[in-house]
Amino acid sequence: MAREGRRPRRDRAATGLAQPAFARLRNPFAPFEIVSADQIEAIHAASLRVLAEIGMNFLLPEARAILAAAGAEVEPGGPRVRFDPAFVEERIRTAPSVFTMHARNPERDVRIGEDWISFAVVASAPNVSDLDGGRRIGNFADYCNLIRLGQCLNIAHLIGGYPVEPVDLPPATRHLDALAAMATLADKNLYGYALGAVRMRDAIEIARIARGISAAQLLREPSLFTVVNSNSPLQYDGPMLEGVIEMARHNQPIVITPFTLAGAMAPITVAGALVQQNAEALAGIAFAQCVNPGCPVVYGGFTSNVDMRTGAPAFGTPEYAKATLVGGQLARRYRLPYRASNVTASNAPDAQAAYETEMSIWPCVLAQCNLVKHGLGWLEGGLCASYEKLILDAEMLQMMAAFLEPLETDGDALAIEAIREVGPGSHFFQASHTLARYERAFYAPLLSDWRNFETWSENGALDATQRANRIWKALLAEYQQPAMDPAVAEELDAFVARRKEEGGAPG
Amino acid sequence: MAREGRRPRRDRAATGLAQPAFARLRNPFAPFEIVSADQIEAIHAASLRVLAEIGMNFLLPEARAILAAAGAEVEPGGPRVRFDPAFVEERIRTAPSVFTMHARNPERDVRIGEDWISFAVVASAPNVSDLDGGRRIGNFADYCNLIRLGQCLNIAHLIGGYPVEPVDLPPATRHLDALAAMATLADKNLYGYALGAVRMRDAIEIARIARGISAAQLLREPSLFTVVNSNSPLQYDGPMLEGVIEMARHNQPIVITPFTLAGAMAPITVAGALVQQNAEALAGIAFAQCVNPGCPVVYGGFTSNVDMRTGAPAFGTPEYAKATLVGGQLARRYRLPYRASNVTASNAPDAQAAYETEMSIWPCVLAQCNLVKHGLGWLEGGLCASYEKLILDAEMLQMMAAFLEPLETDGDALAIEAIREVGPGSHFFQASHTLARYERAFYAPLLSDWRNFETWSENGALDATQRANRIWKALLAEYQQPAMDPAVAEELDAFVARRKEEGGAPG
């Protein structure tokens, strides 16, 4: 079953917008593999050679001390760490292959790993845009609206970070307001940034408070996730490593994602970029397991390519599709959950944005990706969060979710008696087999317009992007803040106030 | 290898538009199967029961006589024909699993079957549109321009029919002018319509003349193809059956394609619609093999669904994706070449058109489809051919072709020495490994704009549809009619003139 239960009920809000109910999705199909097992072994072996012979820079002394104590080869006085292949293989083995992410609303819990697939809202864009207001620098008002939309859209399983950077909030306390808003305006899974130990601990504490649980329960239950990007090639910086240490010690999930742009920060061949991705990911995962064996981690793949004429990064390319599929094969080899992304380089929420997104999400699904980051709203290679793109993506992901419902061939699904009843040259509109099923037989779109040209023209001839503009406004208009226990809200407010008084995370 | 040879050279025309050279494409990946072998057997068995117990109407007496002589059970005095399962299985077995389609330019020949995949231009739209001229009834001027664009775009392997119906040409002689223009303005594979024996024979003769071959050579070499749609449910009409008879007798390829819209002309369940599709396809293929055992046929799948609120057909839906994949599994079971389509219900060449197209072409590729009809330019569920959609599709199909190039992991593709040379914290722009490869490392787009927001804005902030508008104009401006032997051109003119004098195909 792709979902728990049969085709889920639809939520139809006051606006008349229909969307399938929130549901944990499973991928019922066998993974699609584009390279052979031998090729996977070649990439694996090459990445272990890179870690053994070249190694990686770990810029945080505390991290090097942890690695040295665990048996890795730390260069005296320098940042370089080299890893014996057996050390890597042994360390990554302690990571779980599946875990539950707990939201403050247990109905929003998701499973990460195995055949589960979840979609997260766009994260970390410096700019934001919509058709009416154009493009502008990230700010807290848009931040909150995008969180609200992430809450409204049932296909968004998790909030994936700050949908847009709220640069109008002071840097030292920004994470406090941003996390508190994320925890209050939505009841879905939370995300904190690995920007040093202080911010990471604050985020973990906000997740604990929002769920109303004890520190001991938090240790058992992943409640906040983060992404750690290596500084490709072959380097982890101090603030990120502090984040890994805090998250691992609190048993919270870390998505280790090298950002390996072939031709720029990684070799120009896709296979070479994957070797580097794999080396960096395995080193990061091994490090997290050294900090706390058994802590939840996710193998992140983010290999794309640049336009070699301009150096501009490209996304949703054929090379990205292949790298995403091979990333899934690698993650399965290590029995680790797999993260990939929904990406596009388009500057507008247009046809290019749509086809580059499809060139991302088809490989994500085919690769048995468990966590699709930037699932809704990413534009401009991540430099902009788009309101209209959020709606375009919701439609595309809803269609994928419907695609993942297995094809039924049992009972009268094969319809021989219906075909007999109707016979040659007639139609099925009135057949009893049709009438028993017509209300829930097919996927019902959020955005797609299937009316004929004449009706569509009479209704303004709006293209998909213009309709998306109307839909996000309708969703925002009907948004209702999810209820929160007043005691929890009070504790959250008090924590944020106290930490602000203390100065937040200066520097 | 996805292509013959390595990454093909690019054609760079005067406009600066780059596109990969014309290439026969192979699909190197294993087919993606979404139902089990048992489910395929259940669909197969159900469709054979439909043919045995219910049967199909064959509205042409000559066709019934052929079937009766071959051993099918023809109802006395009526149109109904029933088929014993063993009869069907035995008859379809004589069809070839792969054949070559010959164009008048041998460089444009394509293989249909096995792991080959070819894309055809949009066909049979009653309307045509572009951003400047809007939507208008099909006409010969647009017909010719769309053929010219089909010739310009290397990713278009075949002309798939009349891109738009030239309704300004008189019905009785329209096929003569349309076929002559198709054969003259392009040098790619030709298509004729199965609208009665006379038109079919004229089309075959034009294909023979255009290739400059004898009738005997034509009998050995498929040079024209046609699609035969059943009148679902369970009926073949007279003109179509006459077309099958003519094509089969001339050994020319027939693509048998039931158009089974679940909930309208087929059962509302996708599995039921597939049972009907399979029954109708097998009956048509068996009939063609009765006419001429061994003649080339293609198993066509075209199962989509309707919007049950309005009855409007929907395309590029999750149901379409699943039906396309299962269609591939069925065709492989019979070792027959497989045809599916690139479809959308969108009224504009917009984001919806792009994502519905991707929801079609990913399943086509994953299903090991051999012939993708309506590959370039289809809009409005086939009611309109769009100039801008043609360019959008060219980009999406070019990306798919690049995706089909296998990932290389041999030699220094794994790039260990490049990673060593660059080391941690640097970049690969100047690495020798990069410099040796940068010109042909990645897919170069026709339409996608990867420039940053500022540069894109300064250049007019054109969205993908607006850029597509500029591209088709540039392609048309640089179009050059492919050379034709003057003797062939003369014979073609003389044939058309003579057939017009005779009145064409009246009635």
Side-chain angles (χ1 to χ4, degrees), chain A residues 13-15 17 145 148-149 152 387 469-481:
Chain A
T15 50
L17 293 172
N145 277 338
R148 291 184 183 105
L149 287 170
C152 290
Y387 283 77
N469 177 270
R470 295 192 172 189
I471 290 172
W472 70 255
K473 289 176 186 168
L475 285 171
L476 265 191
E478 76 191 22
Y479 165 80
Q480 291 190 317
Q481 189 167 317

Side-chain angles (χ1 to χ4, degrees), chain B residues 194-407:
Chain B
L195 295 169
V198 175
R199 286 188 180 84
M200 198 79 264
R201 278 198 299 267
D202 284 341
I204 293 169
E205 181 63 3
I206 288 174
R208 186 196 65 74
I209 295 169
R211 288 197 58 218
I213 60 173
S214 67
Q217 189 172 347
L218 182 88
L219 273 178
R220 293 192 304 272
E221 296 182 350
S223 305
L224 175 92
F225 77 111
T226 196
V227 168
V228 166
N229 300 118
S230 44
N231 305 94
S232 301
L234 300 179
Q235 198 156 272
Y236 280 102
D237 71 22
M240 285 281 181
L241 289 169
E242 288 185 10
V244 173
I245 292 169
E246 289 302 322
M247 290 290 277
R249 285 185 179 152
H250 288 86
N251 204 39
Q252 299 302 303
I254 309 159
V255 182
I256 305 277
T257 311
F259 181 37
T260 33
L261 273 178
M265 290 93 82
I268 193 167
T269 51
V270 172
L274 284 165
V275 166
Q276 189 183 307
Q277 167 190 300
N278 200 52
E280 295 177 6
L282 293 184
I285 290 166
F287 171 64
Q289 295 301 313
C290 288
V291 175
N292 180 11
C295 73
V297 293
V298 176
Y299 181 106
F302 208 146
T303 290
S304 194
N305 60 290
V306 295
D307 180 348
M308 292 310 294
R309 291 169 307 168
T310 63
F315 297 98
T317 60
E319 291 78 16
Y320 180 80
K322 284 185 244 193
T324 300
L325 284 159
V326 177
Q329 291 186 246
L330 288 164
R332 276 192 299 284
R333 187 200 182 284
Y334 307 122
R335 299 178 189 278
L336 290 169
Y338 179 48
R339 167 258 162 116
S341 308
N342 172 7
V343 290
T344 172
S346 184
N347 289 298
D350 63 353
Q352 179 185 336
Y355 64 68
E356 289 181 339
T357 282
E358 292 282 355
M359 286 295 285
S360 308
I361 60 177
W362 270 97
C364 283
V365 165
L366 295 170
Q368 291 274 13
C369 176
N370 304 112
L371 174 60
V372 180
K373 272 219 65 178
H374 310 301
L376 303 96
W378 218 65
L379 208 61
E380 286 183 39
L383 295 179
C384 192
S386 157
Y387 282 78
E388 286 80 20
K389 178 68 167 22
L390 197 84
I391 303 301
L392 286 174
D393 284 333
E395 178 75 292
M396 290 188 266
L397 294 177
Q398 284 188 187
M399 289 169 77
M400 275 296 172
F403 174 69
L404 293 176
E405 295 171 26
L407 190 77

Side-chain angles (χ1 to χ4, degrees), chain A residues 127-129 134-136 345-349 379-381 383-384, chain B residues 449-461:
Chain A
N127 301 290
V128 58
S129 76
R135 187 177 187 257
R136 51 200 176 267
S346 183
N347 289 297
L379 208 62
E380 282 183 42
L383 295 179
C384 192
Chain B
D449 192 327
W450 296 340
R451 295 175 299 180
N452 65 29
F453 183 83
E454 291 71 20
T455 310
W456 173 78
S457 298
E458 284 160 17
N459 282 272

Side-chain angles (χ1 to χ4, degrees), chain A residues 20-33:
Chain A
F22 185 95
R24 286 177 280 279
L25 299 178
R26 303 189 92 142
N27 190 329
F29 306 126
F32 182 68
E33 313 217 311

